[in-house]
Each structure stands twice: as C-alpha cells, then as structure tokens.
C-alpha cells in the first residue's frame, strides 16, 4: 500500500447492514402463492439504495452498476510513477486516498465488502515471498478498505495443460461474490472456491477441506543448488542451498531440522522451525525439479483461508477455453456459475460437448444441485459471461448467456433430479449471421453479463477482444414469456410447408439450403438496437452502429448506457418506442472499451484501453464528457463506487479516489 498523504485517509463511514428480507420489494406482491421466494442476506434494492458496500460484480444479482453513492469527486490526478523504480511522485496528486500494486495485467473488477477490497489479477506484484513476481499465477488479492494495505492472497498455480486452458499472465479475470464473512469466486484452474474474507488474520482455520498444500520453493535438479540439496537430503541434512531457498521464500530455518525419507530418493519431510513456526514441510522430486510444500494454517497470515473447493474440470469434465472466468452470484443458499466450457486450441473441436455449461450449487457446502449443457455442440468459442438472478413476473429466474449466442433463463431453485427447469431461451443473433474463425464473421457469442431493470432483461453480444471490432446487437427482452422467445425462427421450406430446424452452430439459416427466417409470434424482443440513422442522411455511419461489446449495460431513470469494443458510448431510452430503439447519442472515446459504465452521483464513468476515464453528466442531453482523466495505464475494468469513494483497477494498480 502507498498512502497519498500522512496520516492515511480516514476510513469510509460505516453503514449498517439492512435486515434480512424474504423477497425483492418490486416483485414480492406479484409472486404467485405457488412460488417460494428465498431468504436473502440483503435485498438488491437495499444494496443499491444504501450507497455502502458493493459486494459483487454489478453490486447485486441484478447486475445494474448504479449505486446510490454521493459526494464523489469529478476530478483527480494520480501523480506520476517512475517506470524503473515504481517511485510515486505525489506533487500533483489530487483526490487519491491511496493506491495498491496489482499484477502486470488486471481484468477483474474490484468489489467492496466487509471492510476489504477484493481484486482479481496476476502475480506481477509479488505480494507473497514464496512466489517471485516472475512466477505466473492467478491471484485474488484482498486489501484494507481504509488505507489499501495488502491483507492476503489466494494463489492459483498455472495448469500444466498451458494456454488452451489457462492463458499466460491473464490471472483471475472474474470478480468475487461476498456475503457476510464468506467469499465465492472461480479460479483460473476451473474451480469454484469459497473463502473466509478475513483469511487467517482472525487466527482461525475455517476450512471444511483437508489442509491445502502450498508451494514454498523449487530447485532445478540440473542446477548446482538442486544437486547440493539432493545430496544433503540423501544424508539426512538440509544443505545450505536448500536453506537459502527456504529463507528467500520467507521460511527461514531456525534450529535443528529432522529430515525423514518418505520414499527413498523422491520424497522427504522436514520437521523443525521455519519462518518462526514449528511445522513439517514436504519435499517432492517432481520431474526436473525439487519442490518444497507446506500446509497452510493460521500462521500463514498472508494466505487465503479456503472453506471448500469444487473442481469443475475434474468433477464435471469441463474443458475451459483459454480461461475459466465467471463472476458468480447467489439467490439465498443457491450459487450460480458459468463453467466456461469451450473449444480446444484448434478453435474447431469441442473436447467436452456433454459437459455442463451452467450449474447451481449449495453455496454453504459446495454441493452440486443441478447442471445444464444447453449450448451443447453449438458453443462458438468460449463461455465467459456471468449469471444474473432476478424475480421476474413473480418467478425467480437465473439468467445465463451461453457460448452459442443464446440467452437462457432457468427457474432459480434447487432443481429436480439434478436438472434445472428451462423457462425461456432467446437467440441474440439474427438467423442469417455466420460464425467465422478469428472474428471475421457476423455471428457473435455473449461475454457481457445480462442486466435486469424494471422487470426487463438487457444484454448485448460480442466476441473475444482479440477478434477485433464487428457488428453488435443490443436487446431488450421480456422475461415473462416462455419457450423459444427469439425474434425469429429458423425454418426449412419443403414444398408448401415450413419445417422448423434445430439451431446450427455456424449459421442458423442458409438460404442456399432452402432455409428462411420467419417472425416468431412468441417473440420476447421488446426492442433491438444494431444501427440508427441519427442524422437521417440515409446512410449508416460508424458512430451510428452498435458494435461488439464485452461490457454490460447500466440503467437509471430509464436512461441506458453501454460502451462497445469500438470505443463508442451509446446512450438510449431503456423503454424504446413502438418496438424500436430510441437513441439519445453516441460518443467516440477513440479507444477500445472493455468495461462497463458506472452511474453514480449524477454522473457516468467509463474507462478505456488508453487509460482514460470519461465522465459524463447523467442524462440524455449530455452527449460530451465533462472530463477525461488518464489513469497511467489501461483501464480494462469497470469503475466501482462504494462508501463515498470510486475504486478503479488499472492494468497494474488499484486506486481509491475520494474528495480530500
């Protein structure tokens, strides 16, 4: 942590947690008697209204990034950082309470809860001594909300299968969910994990699993230190080379150490005092290296305290494409997770077509309640969207955006015989669009998280940012419909008949095959935005198109904001008019945007890849930013507001911004 001033900025004002309630305020009255609305820790509306903690991606399971926070600064200056030494020049710093170092690449959005800030990143900051900054890990970091001090780190070592499952340097790309003193998130290794928010700093090991082994040090057997370490172990001794490696990792040897061979020549235990703690270390000969492990416990204050682990790759045969990433959400005791099942490195083969893509778990125990594999063989690439849960038309719905470009809604309950109940599905692409490798096609999957506002679902399609720019589609959907509620249906013309055809992965309708798209009488599309001739010149300009996006939508007072990957900020009327979109304005940020808007305190904040945060006055008439503030490096994440502050994670730093 690096404070902006001395003394450190005061702690944000504490807010009382609203009392537990049984349903959402706007929907409880319309819920049929046959439906059971679960007990939740805090209602979404109360979280948004309180202006306090922001404990998951989008703040609540409705995923609408519109906290009722006031007193936010509209100008700030982060100062300058020496590229070589990292030294902070604070001479021009304005309204920055503190900053903390993240990894070298950061895509996770910060969440604020329980007096802590949690951010996903990689290991570039090297917060743990046993992991040099050059060691590639997926890291979930916890910082003190008051002053930005580093608290603890959860470390996910890279999968040995490499970039097909665990892309180098991407780290943890999702945001966690926090409720009370528990946190849930998805690791880069395809695991769902539940942690204690306090880590081991509460002097308790709350885990329900066996003590977890943690890597301490590695010595290459071909090196002189490795050879010396092996020679010492063969004699029942700790060689100087091994002692040096332990000291570097923060496990300094003190006093005598008992060396025992568990398996002659390949496994040993060391019992003694290491780093001031009496414990037993295990040493394994693993291929070309000698690896030292310890079991995490209450003495490991900088490590995460793991409650339970569910490995989706092992338990469900999931094969994520490049990265497993999902910002989980809950409904009562139910936890909803996108598994990220996808293609292999060929971008053609689907290794696990029958593996679940969407699962429901018991958040307390990690037990799998039900699973669904709806996209099946139609997954286009990967699946990195996050679920949304809302009570819609009196029915609790878990909404999942699939890797085939469809949105699926399931009843948000514990399922039946391991299966979830599908309520409706919606194709987010026109039927004639075509998927092509590398982003050259017009068909998209969905990476953004669906947003719920006033009983409607809003979502836009997109692709992996590496695929570049392309045509996008933004939808407003009626979630009270049932069945296939896509705007159109795919049909094959056979004589004077039209025969429904199943969805096809590459292209739903091929005209040369005698296939057509017909309007769906059961359509749930309220309005659709792909382009709008704003200047009425009969042509569609670049600024008049909705492009691909991986960002989610934010809506307040019927005004909708979304940023696309081409760098356009789109502002629309959330209601549309007569089934058509109503576009207030678009604004070109002149840089790609990966994140989503924050609407708070009468303003809209959106970051871009150039590191600029554009600030608009809220409202359809305010089509130019009042300020654009550079953060020093790319802002791939979404600004978050909580407890009177704005939190922004850049590519390598987390900033707490407040009026000083």
């Amino acid at each position: 942590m690096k404070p902006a001033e001395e003394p450190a900025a005061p702690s944000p004002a504490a807010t009382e947690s609203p009392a537990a309630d049984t349903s959402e305020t706007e929907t409880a009255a319309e819920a049929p008697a046959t439906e059971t609305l679960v007990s939740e820790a805090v209602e979404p509306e109360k979280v948004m209204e309180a202006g306090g903690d922001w404990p998951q991606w989008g703040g609540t399971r409705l995923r609408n990034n519109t906290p009722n926070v006031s007193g936010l600064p509209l100008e700030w200056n982060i100062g300058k950082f020496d590229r070589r030494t990292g030294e902070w020049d604070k001479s021009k710093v304005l309204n920055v309470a503190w900053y903390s170092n993240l990894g070298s690449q950061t895509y996770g959005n910060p969440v604020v809860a329980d007096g802590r800030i949690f951010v996903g990143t990689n290991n570039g900051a090297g917060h743990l001594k046993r992991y040099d900054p050059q060691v590639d890990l997926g890291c979930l970091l916890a910082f003190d909300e008051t002053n930005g001090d580093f608290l603890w780190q959860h470390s996910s070592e890279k999968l040995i299968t490499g970039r097909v499952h665990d892309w180098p340097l991407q780290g943890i790309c999702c945001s966690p969910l926090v409720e009370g003193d528990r946190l849930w998130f998805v690791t880069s290794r395809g695991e769902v994990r539940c942690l204690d928010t306090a880590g081991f700093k509460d002097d308790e090991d709350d885990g329900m699993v066996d003590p977890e082994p943690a890597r301490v040090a590695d010595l290459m057997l071909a090196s002189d230190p490795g050879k010396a370490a092996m020679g010492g172990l063969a004699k029942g001794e700790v060689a100087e080379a091994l002692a040096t490696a332990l000291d570097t990792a923060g496990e300094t040897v003190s006093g005598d150490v008992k060396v025992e061979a568990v398996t002659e020549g390949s496994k040993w235990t060391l019992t003694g005092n290491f780093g001031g703690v009496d414990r037993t270390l295990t040493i394994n000969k693993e291929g070309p290296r000698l690896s030292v492990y310890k079991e995490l416990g209450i003495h490991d204050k900088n490590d995460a305290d793991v409650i339970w682990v569910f490995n989706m790759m092992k338990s469900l045969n999931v094969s994520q494409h490049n990265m497993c990433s999902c910002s989980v959400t809950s409904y009562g005791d139910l936890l909803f997770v996108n598994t990220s099942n996808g293609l292999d490195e060929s971008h053609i083969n689907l290794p696990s077509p029958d593996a679940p893509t969407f699962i429901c778990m018991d958040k307390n125990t990690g037990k799998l309640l039900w699973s669904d594999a709806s996209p099946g063989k139609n997954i286009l690439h990967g699946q990195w969207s996050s679920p949304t849960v809302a009570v819609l038309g009196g029915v609790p719905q878990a909404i999942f955006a699939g890797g085939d470009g469809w949105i699926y809604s399931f009843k948000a309950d514990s399922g039946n015989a391991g299966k979830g109940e599908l309520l409706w599905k919606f194709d987010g692409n026109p039927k004639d669009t075509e998927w092509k490798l590398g982003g050259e096609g017009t068909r998209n999957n969905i990476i953004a998280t669906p947003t719920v506002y006033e009983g409607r679902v809003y979502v836009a399609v997109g692709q992996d940012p590496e695929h570049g720019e392309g045509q996008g589609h933004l939808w407003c959907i009626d979630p009270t419909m049932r069945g296939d509620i896509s705007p159109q249906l795919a049909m094959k013309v056979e004589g004077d008949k039209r025969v429904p055809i199943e969805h096809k992965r590459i292209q739903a309708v091929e005209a040369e095959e005698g296939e057509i798209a017909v309007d769906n009488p059961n359509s749930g599309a309220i309005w659709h935005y792909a382009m709008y001739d704003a200047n009425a010149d009969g042509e569609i300009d670049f600024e008049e198109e909705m492009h691909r996006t991986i960002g989610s939508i934010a809506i307040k007072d019927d005004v909708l904001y979304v940023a696309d990957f081409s760098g356009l900020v789109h502002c629309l009327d959330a209601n549309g008019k007569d089934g058509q979109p109503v576009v207030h304005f678009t604004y070109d940020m002149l840089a790609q945007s990966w994140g989503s808007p924050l609407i708070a305190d009468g303003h809209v904040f959106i970051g871009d890849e150039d590191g600029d945060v554009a600030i608009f006055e809220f409202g359809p008439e305010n089509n130019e930013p009042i300020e654009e503030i550079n953060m020093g490096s790319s802002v791939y994440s979404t600004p978050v507001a909580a407890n009177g502050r704005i939190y922004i994670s850049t590519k390598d730093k987390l900033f707490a911004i407040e009026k000083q």
Side-chain angles (χ1 to χ4, degrees):
M1 187 286 297
K2 304 294 187 296
E5 308 176 9
E6 296 297 338
S11 172
T15 58
E16 287 189 24
S17 298
D21 211 300
T22 57
S23 63
E24 292 178 292
T25 303
E26 74 221 34
T27 56
E30 55 188 59
T34 55
E35 299 297 344
T36 301
L37 301 181
V38 305
S39 176
E40 296 189 273
V42 187
E43 287 181 0
E45 292 78 10
K46 291 183 178 179
V47 173
M48 289 191 283
E49 181 62 28
D53 284 356
W54 205 237
Q56 61 180 298
W57 161 227
T60 75
R61 53 180 171 76
L62 305 180
R63 308 299 202 178
N64 193 12
N65 195 27
T66 58
N68 185 30
V69 180
S70 61
L72 299 178
L74 299 179
E75 58 177 343
W76 61 84
N77 190 318
I78 66 166
K80 292 185 178 181
F81 294 87
D82 187 286
R83 291 181 179 272
R84 184 175 59 85
T85 65
E87 184 177 348
W88 190 18
D89 179 356
K90 298 185 288 184
S91 59
K92 295 184 179 180
V93 167
L94 173 68
N95 289 334
V96 177
W98 51 259
Y99 89 89
S100 292
N101 285 317
L102 303 177
S104 60
Q105 295 187 37
T106 303
Y107 303 97
N109 301 299
V111 302
V112 184
D114 199 27
R116 303 172 180 90
I117 316 294
F118 304 95
V119 187
T121 184
N122 67 19
N123 188 49
H127 284 291
L128 299 184
K129 283 188 175 182
R130 70 174 190 274
Y131 287 120
D132 184 272
Q134 301 304 312
V135 176
D136 194 5
L137 303 170
C139 298
L140 180 69
L141 303 180
F143 299 97
D144 188 301
E145 182 181 2
T146 304
N147 51 28
D149 284 349
F150 168 74
L151 297 176
W152 53 258
Q153 171 176 308
H154 181 281
S155 309
S156 297
E157 295 195 357
K158 304 301 285 184
L159 291 168
I160 61 172
T161 48
R163 64 183 58 207
V164 63
H165 290 138
D166 197 355
W167 197 267
L169 297 177
Q170 299 303 287
I172 300 298
C173 296
C174 66
S175 300
L177 160 71
V178 180
E179 293 180 3
D181 59 0
R182 292 292 179 264
L183 174 153
W184 298 263
F185 80 114
V186 172
T187 75
S188 50
R189 297 176 61 87
E191 305 161 322
V192 185
R193 289 194 171 224
C194 176
L195 311 181
D196 176 8
T197 58
F200 291 116
K201 293 187 182 296
D202 60 2
D203 295 323
E204 295 180 0
D205 185 346
D206 298 293
M208 292 160 44
V209 296
D210 293 334
E212 280 201 287
R215 189 181 301 273
V216 173
D218 291 305
L219 294 93
M220 301 305 296
L221 292 173
S223 67
D224 289 338
K227 293 174 182 177
M230 279 290 291
L233 292 171
K235 301 175 183 177
E237 300 173 351
V238 175
E240 182 178 349
L242 178 55
T244 299
L246 292 174
D247 180 65
T248 301
E251 302 292 345
T252 303
V253 177
S254 178
D256 296 331
V257 176
K258 182 180 180 182
V259 180
E260 294 182 282
V262 178
T263 303
E264 197 65 39
S266 63
K267 185 173 183 177
W268 301 263
T269 60
L270 308 182
T271 303
N273 187 282
F274 305 95
V277 179
D278 291 332
R279 68 196 326 160
T280 296
L281 305 180
T282 301
I283 302 181
N284 295 330
K285 183 181 178 184
E286 299 176 352
R289 63 176 59 87
L290 202 62
S291 297
V292 184
Y293 296 90
K294 65 179 179 180
E295 290 186 346
L296 294 179
I298 61 172
H299 300 291
D300 301 296
K301 302 301 184 186
N302 292 334
D303 283 278
D305 182 2
V306 179
I307 309 300
W308 56 256
V309 182
F310 182 81
N311 190 316
M312 296 184 288
M313 295 188 75
K314 291 183 178 179
S315 299
L316 303 176
N317 197 34
V318 167
S319 179
Q320 65 256 20
H321 180 81
N322 294 159
M323 175 59 58
C324 190
S325 180
C326 166
S327 298
V328 302
T329 194
S330 67
Y331 183 60
D333 290 333
L334 305 178
L335 187 72
F336 295 95
V337 186
N338 175 354
T339 70
S340 298
N341 192 48
L343 304 182
D344 65 11
E345 55 205 332
S346 73
H347 291 83
I348 297 174
N349 299 318
L350 183 64
S352 299
D354 299 322
T357 54
F358 190 48
I359 62 175
C360 175
M361 310 176 71
D362 183 318
K363 74 180 184 185
N364 302 304
T365 64
K367 177 183 178 182
L368 180 68
L369 299 177
W370 58 261
S371 64
D372 185 88
S374 283
K377 297 180 181 180
N378 292 321
I379 297 172
L380 298 170
H381 188 204
Q383 300 193 108
W384 305 290
S385 181
S386 299
T388 299
V389 178
V391 181
L392 300 164
V395 180
Q397 300 188 30
I399 301 165
F400 157 65
D404 55 354
W406 286 64
I407 302 101
Y408 298 88
S409 176
F410 296 88
K411 194 171 183 180
D413 62 11
S414 56
N416 184 18
K419 299 294 183 182
E421 179 184 342
L422 180 66
L423 300 175
W424 55 265
K425 59 182 180 179
F426 184 99
D427 191 352
N429 290 282
K431 295 298 185 183
D432 59 351
T433 54
E434 183 180 4
W435 174 262
K436 292 183 180 180
L437 291 178
E440 295 299 318
T442 52
R443 189 164 190 82
N444 295 301
N445 48 13
I446 303 173
I447 301 176
T449 303
T451 298
V452 169
Y453 173 80
E454 295 294 335
R456 294 174 174 178
V457 175
Y458 297 81
V459 68
V461 301
Q463 293 190 30
D464 183 334
E466 287 192 351
H467 291 182
E469 302 174 21
Q471 177 64 57
H473 301 274
L474 167 60
W475 299 95
C476 173
I477 304 169
D478 179 358
T480 64
M481 308 288 286
R482 294 293 180 264
D484 186 342
I485 64 171
S486 305
Q488 294 182 314
L489 300 175
M491 299 283 188
K492 186 174 181 65
V493 179
E494 296 182 354
D496 58 354
K497 295 182 179 180
R498 295 178 176 182
V499 180
I501 56 177
E502 292 294 322
H503 173 60
K504 296 179 295 183
R505 175 176 176 267
I506 300 298
Q507 190 172 14
V509 166
E510 300 173 81
E512 60 272 21
E513 298 296 327
E515 298 169 355
I516 60 173
V518 300
D519 290 342
N520 182 5
N522 190 47
S523 172
I526 297 174
W527 56 260
H528 164 229
Y529 171 52
M531 57 187 69
Y532 179 72
D533 188 5
N535 57 16
D537 65 352
E539 298 180 357
I540 300 299
D541 302 322
F542 174 83
E543 295 83 2
E544 297 174 328
E545 288 184 298
M546 177 69 201
H547 302 270
R548 294 171 182 163
T549 184
I550 61 174
S552 298
I553 291 153
I555 310 172
K556 185 175 180 63
D557 298 335
D558 295 339
V559 183
L560 179 156
Y561 292 85
V562 64
D564 68 29
F565 197 64
S566 296
L568 295 183
V569 176
H570 302 260
C571 179
L572 295 88
D573 186 314
N575 297 310
K577 184 177 181 180
D578 300 327
Q580 298 298 316
V582 175
V583 182
H584 297 311
F585 69 83
T586 62
Y587 174 80
D588 192 350
M589 295 192 293
L590 303 177
Q592 293 178 335
S593 179
W594 295 43
S596 306
L598 161 68
I599 303 176
D601 200 16
H603 293 83
V604 183
F605 305 80
I606 306 176
D608 66 29
E609 192 172 33
D610 281 353
D612 291 324
V613 174
I615 306 174
F616 296 80
E617 284 191 67
F618 176 79
E621 68 282 0
N622 301 310
N623 58 4
E624 295 274 347
I626 61 172
E627 194 70 71
E628 289 184 287
I629 301 173
N630 192 267
M631 300 299 297
S633 63
S634 298
V635 179
Y636 292 118
S637 64
T638 296
V640 167
N643 297 318
R645 286 177 174 166
I646 302 172
Y647 292 95
I648 299 176
S649 55
T650 68
K651 188 176 180 180
D652 58 357
K653 293 178 178 64
L654 171 65
F655 291 92
I657 300 164
E658 70 176 357
K659 289 183 178 179
Q660 296 289 297

